[in-house]
Amino acid sequence: MNRQAAALRSPRLRREEQAVSEVLGVVMLLAMVITIMGGVWIFLNPYLSDFEDNTNWKSATGIADRIEDRVEVAGNAPEGTGFRNTLAMQSTSIFTVQNIEEWTISADFTSQESIEIRKVNDTVIAVTAANESARSITIQNPSITVERTVPTTSQEVFIDHNASHPHWMIVTVYDEQGDTLHRTVYASLSGIQVTTSLGQGTHEIVMMNNARAERFPNGAWDVTAMPLVELDRMANEELRLSILLTDVTGRGSIGSGTNIGMEFVSLGPLTLFTGEAYNVRFSVVNALHDVVTPQYHETWLSDYTIQRSAGTLDTFIGFSPYQRASGSDGFTIASQGSPLFFEVDYQRVEVSR
């Protein structure tokens, strides 16, 4: 009797056992799929992160290129004119960096005199005229122009003034007839910083005075574009030194967002030097990082260093250090007696959101 009952129940038990086995199989299959997907994700995650970082870096580089193009266009426009542009952002923020480069540029306008201007402090400058031809001086900034007389002496004289300014100051020396003998320009330049978030940290691009410096996470600053300082040798053996200064000041915060509208307005271009010049000197100090200024010096002095090593400086034409060989005292031009024409233009652009 029990054997018959067991025989009658056995098909139902087998079906139940089969049902339990199918559930376990599905669970095991899902667990295997999840395990494989997790392994694939772990394997691909570094590559996906690198792809995303590369996309963000390319986006930031493109934004920097477009900003530079718009600054160049606005810098050449008349005072008070400009345009507004919208930039598509991706994990990127834009900031202004104030007074990041300090430039000092000087030159004589006659071969009969050698004049040196030294900035003692914010209210005093020292003037030295080797041949005693200096008679008057003007000190100009964006707001005012101060006029002073210069004593007839070859010794250093001190001139008091109230014309200091955080952006630029122009000192011009005249002779007895009112002809220009010398000019010295002090310019403090600002720029724009583009910051992008990457997987390993923050990538930074700083655009300053037509130059560009870039730093990756845990890396050092690298100058990828130099300031626009060019020395050309003309067909008639004349030399032409051209310097373009660009000051980009910010009004308010630019910040970040999906789409940012930026306004570029010209504050008016200035021509600081034009024509034949003598005793040309210029120097620059970059405040972004200690490694930036030496990179400038190394680039400008590369040809000079090679010629000095070869012992051929007596025929060298190009950038050379003013005093110390490192360039820390500034730079001049070794012209070997060829006429030197000096052109310095100053662009001023205001950027706001």
Side-chain angles (χ1 to χ4, degrees):
M1 186 69 182
N2 292 334
R3 285 196 298 270
Q4 292 180 352
L8 292 173
R9 290 197 301 268
S10 60
R12 185 180 65 184
L13 292 175
R14 284 195 297 271
R15 285 195 299 270
E16 289 177 355
E17 290 173 358
Q18 282 185 340
V20 172
S21 299
E22 289 176 357
V23 171
L24 290 175
V26 171
V27 171
M28 292 178 64
L29 179 62
L30 289 175
M32 183 175 62
V33 170
I34 293 173
T35 302
I36 294 174
M37 291 180 63
V40 170
W41 176 257
I42 293 173
F43 177 77
L44 293 179
N45 187 55
Y47 299 96
L48 295 175
S49 179
D50 289 344
F51 177 79
E52 183 178 0
D53 287 351
N54 187 59
T55 301
N56 292 340
W57 173 78
K58 284 186 176 180
S59 175
T61 303
I63 290 171
D65 292 339
R66 289 192 290 273
I67 290 177
E68 284 184 334
D69 292 340
R70 285 149 180 79
V71 168
E72 181 181 0
V73 173
N76 292 318
E79 183 177 359
T81 61
F83 52 89
R84 185 172 182 82
N85 197 270
T86 301
L87 299 174
M89 310 291 286
Q90 183 172 344
S91 302
T92 302
S93 301
I94 300 177
F95 308 93
T96 56
V97 283
Q98 301 297 321
N99 305 109
I100 196 169
E101 269 191 6
E102 301 284 343
W103 281 74
T104 302
I105 305 174
S106 65
D108 295 323
F109 295 102
T110 175
S111 60
Q112 306 302 317
E113 182 62 280
S114 177
I115 296 177
E116 183 176 350
I117 304 294
R118 183 170 63 89
K119 190 175 182 180
V120 180
N121 54 45
D122 289 340
T123 59
V124 178
I125 61 172
V127 181
T128 304
N131 294 329
E132 304 181 5
S133 59
R135 293 295 182 271
S136 63
I137 187 172
T138 62
I139 306 170
Q140 178 186 2
N141 67 25
S143 305
I144 61 173
T145 299
V146 176
E147 297 183 3
R148 296 285 188 270
T149 59
V150 180
T152 304
T153 176
S154 61
Q155 302 299 315
E156 186 178 61
V157 296
F158 298 93
I159 306 295
D160 295 329
H161 66 92
N162 59 343
S164 292
H165 196 272
H167 290 291
W168 57 269
M169 185 175 72
I170 301 173
V171 181
T172 307
V173 182
Y174 303 90
D175 63 8
E176 191 173 8
Q177 288 74 35
D179 297 328
T180 304
L181 298 176
H182 173 91
R183 178 168 294 150
T184 295
V185 175
Y186 301 96
S188 180
L189 308 178
S190 303
I192 294 179
Q193 179 174 348
V194 178
T195 302
T196 306
S197 297
L198 302 180
Q200 300 297 321
T202 300
H203 172 258
E204 299 170 280
I205 298 175
V206 176
M207 295 162 286
M208 51 211 172
N209 187 33
N210 307 296
R212 183 186 293 191
E214 188 172 354
R215 180 171 69 176
F216 285 91
N218 303 319
W221 284 102
D222 181 36
V223 176
T224 57
M226 291 287 293
L228 292 181
V229 181
E230 298 180 353
L231 179 64
D232 301 314
R233 193 168 185 174
M234 315 303 290
N236 57 1
E237 297 303 319
E238 294 178 346
L239 302 175
R240 182 180 63 191
L241 175 62
S242 304
I243 299 178
L244 177 61
L245 304 179
T246 301
D247 185 25
V248 182
T249 57
R251 185 180 65 186
S253 174
I254 299 175
S256 60
T258 304
N259 290 288
I260 289 184
M262 296 181 62
E263 189 175 30
F264 301 82
V265 178
S266 173
L267 300 180
L270 298 174
T271 298
L272 304 178
F273 294 87
T274 182
E276 192 171 2
Y278 308 86
N279 305 318
V280 173
R281 297 190 295 270
F282 68 92
S283 63
V284 57
V285 177
N286 189 288
L288 177 64
H289 195 276
D290 293 339
V291 301
V292 175
T293 302
Q295 291 184 59
Y296 285 178
H297 293 180
E298 182 180 359
T299 301
W300 285 326
L301 293 177
S302 58
D303 292 339
Y304 171 84
T305 303
I306 294 174
Q307 297 289 334
R308 186 181 64 177
S309 300
T312 56
L313 286 179
D314 54 340
T315 60
F316 170 68
I317 293 178
F319 296 102
S320 63
Y322 172 56
Q323 289 181 347
R324 285 178 286 185
S326 64
S328 57
D329 297 311
F331 300 87
T332 186
I333 301 298
S335 62
Q336 305 302 331
S338 299
L340 175 64
F341 290 84
F342 193 28
E343 303 288 337
V344 179
D345 294 315
Y346 186 20
Q347 296 178 341
R348 300 175 297 157
V349 179
E350 185 179 73
V351 178
S352 60
R353 185 167 181 175

